[in-house]
Amino acid sequence: MTLWGGRFDSPMSRALWDLSESFSFDRALYAHDIRGSQAHVEGLRVAGLLSDEEAALLVETLEVVRREFDEGTFTPAPGDEDVHMAIERRATELAGPVGAKIHTSRSRNDQVATTLRLFTRDALGALGARVLELVDALVEVAARNDGAYLPGYTHLQRAQPVLLAHHLYAHAWSLLRDVDRLLDNRARMNVSPLGAGAIAGTSLAIDPAVTASLLGFDEAFANSMDAVSDRDFVAETLFDVALIGVHLSRMGEELVLWTSAEFNFASLGDDFTTGSSMLPQKKNSDVAELARGKAGRLVGNLTALLVTLKGLPLTYNRDLQEDKEPLFDSLAQVDRVLVALAGAYRSMSFHRDVAAAAANDDLLVAIDIAERLVEEGIAFRNAHERVGRAVGDAVRRGVSLATVVAESDDLAGYADLFAPGHALAARRSPGASGPAALVDQRRRLEKRLAAAKRRVLS
Ligand code: ARG
């Protein structure tokens, strides 16, 4: 039996039931739905629509239902179409006739909007904390490999030497922006839709501000139609997660490269790699590939919701029920990737000699020679041209740039620039990749990380 039996002569067909039931997945919302219902009951009491005794009984009964869910003893009934109806049905069974008053001045439309906001608000904080755990891992790995460096790449061609810490911090900065984005979203979405009813509010004397404040929202909705139909916060969350996924994917791709025999800059721990069912020698970085691979799914979930929303007339349409599975899926998947990637980084051995040798490729010194010429008063474009000719000679003759420089009349005095590690140390402008600049960057990063941790918890 559904709760709207009065108007209907025959029960819902099996086919429609299978299409429309959502309890199988939205039961994940039970705790937030119960919290919303308890606030709603209190709002009815304040409005004089429930007596003190009735309200106390309903709040206590809802608590019993919550315990049933917590303990896994909640038994769905055949008519429990979604988590909202399941909870109301069970609370009514337990509380008796007063149960029939729970849904006064409320619709599942404002109810589900409220429940999903409460759920998403918590999820955003939890996700932010997870992202920060990965940032912690990056910071740790940087500290553990103090002084290690590698070639930095543009176009995947060796460009200039960079400290490993500088490289890992680059990812940390993008993850910190992700956390900012999650928290901005959390602040923007913190508006209560409860009290909007089905679409147009109610003739009963409720005050949505009362329930808004009980539920920790900053304010109540201003427009009942917007309140019940807005899913921007879900779309934003899916975008935030998709962008995190894109960042994790880029990190994953890099680990795949670093751990290949061709680069050999790093290896992951045995506990974060997999073997091959056929090839005995294989040690695969599946963790990094899955970090890369999951991004497709996360972008897909965002796309799915945006397409669902795009043609909807105001206000609530059942299409909106399709908001939940992409949201749950994206949150669950990104969480797994974040945890596994943090573990993978922590398990990583960085091959500092291999990476340093690659970074000491003498072609990477070309820019330092040009900059030395600039210091001596030559215009940069002319300096670039002069060093470019030396590089061309070296490549044509099949000798090193150092050789060509040593043999030349005008550049021979710059042999010191080829000393291993010199090009790295020379990157000392603010924000640059060398050790002197890193000191300030590390300070800024630690400050920003600490602030993000405080905000996530607040
Ligand atoms: N399960 C529904 C959803 O997730 C709840 C709202 C249903 N409202 C309605 N009028 N059919 O959107």
Side-chain angles (χ1 to χ4, degrees):
M1 248 311 275
T2 49
L3 293 175
W4 59 74
R7 191 193 184 290
F8 292 82
D9 293 330
S10 62
M12 191 188 289
S13 77
R14 177 81 213 182
L16 176 55
W17 177 265
D18 289 345
L19 176 67
S20 68
E21 75 78 28
S22 57
F23 185 75
S24 52
F25 52 88
D26 68 14
R27 62 177 298 155
L29 298 171
Y30 77 86
H32 297 92
D33 199 66
I34 288 173
R35 184 161 174 223
S37 289
Q38 288 174 327
H40 172 67
V41 164
E42 175 60 14
L44 294 177
R45 189 192 67 77
V46 171
L49 294 162
L50 288 175
S51 69
D52 292 355
E53 297 71 36
E54 287 173 325
L57 175 59
L58 285 173
V59 167
E60 181 42 41
T61 304
L62 285 161
E63 212 47 46
V64 173
V65 179
R66 182 209 307 277
R67 269 200 300 279
E68 290 184 354
F69 273 99
D70 284 346
E71 288 160 9
T73 57
F74 183 89
T75 317
D80 289 350
E81 184 187 71
D82 58 22
V83 68
H84 322 292
M85 294 178 72
I87 290 168
E88 185 185 339
R89 188 263 313 152
R90 181 65 180 141
T92 305
E93 272 170 20
L94 293 169
V98 65
K101 296 189 178 182
I102 296 182
H103 212 52
T104 308
S105 84
R106 186 177 68 170
S107 156
R108 277 185 299 158
N109 299 352
D110 61 339
Q111 183 178 0
V112 68
T114 305
T115 298
L116 199 58
R117 272 179 201 256
L118 292 171
F119 171 87
T120 305
R121 190 174 69 184
D122 282 352
L124 289 169
L127 176 55
R130 271 281 194 256
V131 175
L132 294 178
E133 286 169 23
L134 177 57
V135 175
D136 278 338
L138 293 172
V139 168
E140 251 180 67
V141 173
R144 198 194 323 130
N145 295 282
D146 191 34
Y149 61 102
L150 68 158
Y153 294 81
T154 63
H155 315 275
L156 201 56
Q157 308 284 339
R158 288 179 188 166
Q160 292 186 280
V162 300
L163 279 171
L164 175 64
H166 188 65
H167 190 121
L168 296 175
Y169 289 177
H171 292 308
W173 286 109
S174 74
L175 294 170
L176 286 168
R177 283 193 298 279
D178 288 331
V179 173
D180 280 351
R181 209 171 281 111
L182 295 170
L183 298 178
D184 291 350
N185 175 7
R186 186 173 72 176
R188 188 164 32 257
M189 63 154 301
N190 202 27
V191 177
S192 177
L194 191 57
I199 163 170
T202 168
S203 63
L204 299 168
I206 57 152
D207 180 2
V210 170
T211 46
S213 113
L214 285 171
L215 292 169
F217 287 113
D218 294 329
E219 58 182 349
F221 63 95
N223 181 310
S224 64
M225 295 177 76
D226 182 41
V228 293
S229 62
D230 172 31
R231 293 295 183 276
D232 292 356
F233 66 100
V234 184
E236 275 196 55
T237 303
L238 289 174
F239 171 78
D240 295 347
V241 173
L243 190 58
I244 294 170
V246 167
H247 292 150
L248 301 179
S249 172
R250 295 179 68 173
M251 294 164 75
E253 166 63 4
E254 206 167 75
L255 288 177
V256 169
L257 290 172
W258 286 5
T259 58
S260 69
E262 282 66 21
F263 274 77
N264 193 29
F265 287 176
S267 43
L268 299 178
D270 282 358
D271 49 344
F272 277 93
T273 44
T274 54
S276 156
S277 59
M278 177 171 171
L279 309 177
Q281 84 282 11
K282 291 301 293 291
K283 181 174 170 182
N284 295 328
S285 302
D286 292 30
V287 58
E289 294 165 50
L290 284 165
R292 191 177 57 192
K294 295 282 186 191
R297 178 164 168 183
L298 301 177
V299 172
N301 285 337
L302 167 64
T303 309
L305 182 70
L306 290 175
V307 175
T308 298
L309 295 179
K310 79 167 267 296
L312 295 185
L314 288 175
T315 52
Y316 181 84
N317 299 272
R318 192 62 180 276
D319 314 45
L320 290 176
Q321 184 167 292
E322 292 295 313
D323 58 1
K324 287 169 205 68
E325 284 165 294
L327 179 66
F328 297 162
D329 184 62
S330 280
L331 290 170
Q333 294 300 323
V334 80
D335 191 69
R336 289 184 193 186
V337 176
L338 285 164
V339 173
L341 212 50
Y345 274 108
R346 286 204 166 92
S347 83
M348 182 176 86
S349 321
F350 191 73
H351 305 161
R352 48 160 87 216
D353 295 345
V354 178
N360 288 322
D361 174 344
D362 72 351
L363 289 178
L364 274 53
V365 173
I367 182 64
D368 294 80
I369 303 171
E371 288 182 356
R372 184 68 71 79
L373 290 170
V374 166
E375 278 171 351
E376 285 166 14
I378 298 180
F380 178 72
R381 193 47 65 211
N382 301 331
H384 185 288
E385 159 71 20
R386 173 67 192 93
V387 181
R389 270 191 281 118
V391 171
D393 279 355
V395 171
R396 270 186 301 277
R397 291 170 51 200
V399 299
S400 70
L401 179 61
T403 305
V404 171
V405 166
E407 290 170 5
S408 79
D409 300 334
D410 54 339
L411 303 178
Y414 301 152
D416 63 302
L417 298 179
F418 290 96
H422 184 280
L424 177 75
R427 312 264 78 76
R428 66 174 77 83
S429 59
S433 65
L438 190 81
V439 175
D440 185 47
Q441 180 183 180
R442 188 186 297 121
R443 205 169 25 238
R444 285 172 69 176
L445 185 75
E446 281 165 359
K447 212 170 134 197
R448 180 80 177 270
L449 179 55
K453 284 181 181 172
R454 282 193 301 275
R455 274 183 78 200
V456 158
L457 294 177
S458 72

